[in-house]
Amino acid sequence: MSGGDATTATATRAEYCVVACAEVWRAAGEVLAAPMGTVPTIGARLARLTFSPDLLLTDGEALLIDDVPAVGAAPRVVEGWLPYRQHLALVASGRRHVMMGASQLDRYGNQNISCIGDWERPRRQLLGVRGAPVNTLNNPTSYWVPKHSTRVFVERVDMVCGVGHDRAAAAGPAATRYHRIGDVVTDLGVLDFDTPDRTMRLRSLHPGVTVEQVTRATGFALTIPDEVPYTREPTADELRLIRTEIDPKGLRDREVPA
């Protein structure tokens, strides 16, 4: 748990989150990055500029882009056309790693983005199921939660949209064949499912965060290793890319305030 040099020690919480999101696509190869949210978008672009040069990026709408513009800026080099129907074909082929959000997540990685409360009469109507089941059963899926709290990390989700490990296993080989939930990155740390029963564990803490903070903000018992490391520090070059090329307007700080 070293503090690093003076350059990396000045990294903000948002920048640690960006680096943690970028790590989702490390050595991903030639697959489509599908980040949802500002910090994951910056993370995907950082990965493309550093350790995952073969990563495919889009403009967030219908274009494959061959450069890495700043967030909110138009691409300078368009590589191809990716309308919705072709995007769905990529999903079914598994050549995509999506980083979705979650209104609720449980210990097995079941995700809810549809409603809060009973499905027949919900207290809150949200996005709807959308592509979450297909995403989780066909291509690698990770999650981004900008505010880690017991409202999100719950004992049981009110509706299953993204399929977790327990439900995929119950459905059998057809569901588990391509099912892979990677990381869950939050404003407090990084979690994964690298446990014997495929339940959530705390993998790293962002600097300044304690294990107690994470456990208090989680509505179920996490697996806690004997030693929990800090999330890796951004390098000086990564900080330069984040601050001057990818997100010069500091949009990351709106999603994860300092």
Side-chain angles (χ1 to χ4, degrees), residues 62-86:
L63 298 177
L64 279 171
I65 60 176
D66 197 37
D67 64 331
V68 185
V71 175
R76 297 178 297 275
V77 183
V78 175
E79 189 173 32
W81 173 240
L82 191 68
Y84 194 62
R85 63 183 179 275
Q86 291 183 1

Side-chain angles (χ1 to χ4, degrees), residues 92-112:
S93 73
R95 292 177 296 160
R96 177 176 176 263
H97 188 146
V98 61
M99 192 166 205
M100 293 194 290
S103 301
Q104 292 179 328
L105 274 173
D106 70 17
R107 69 179 73 239
Y108 290 99
N110 293 292
Q111 171 239 35
N112 174 26

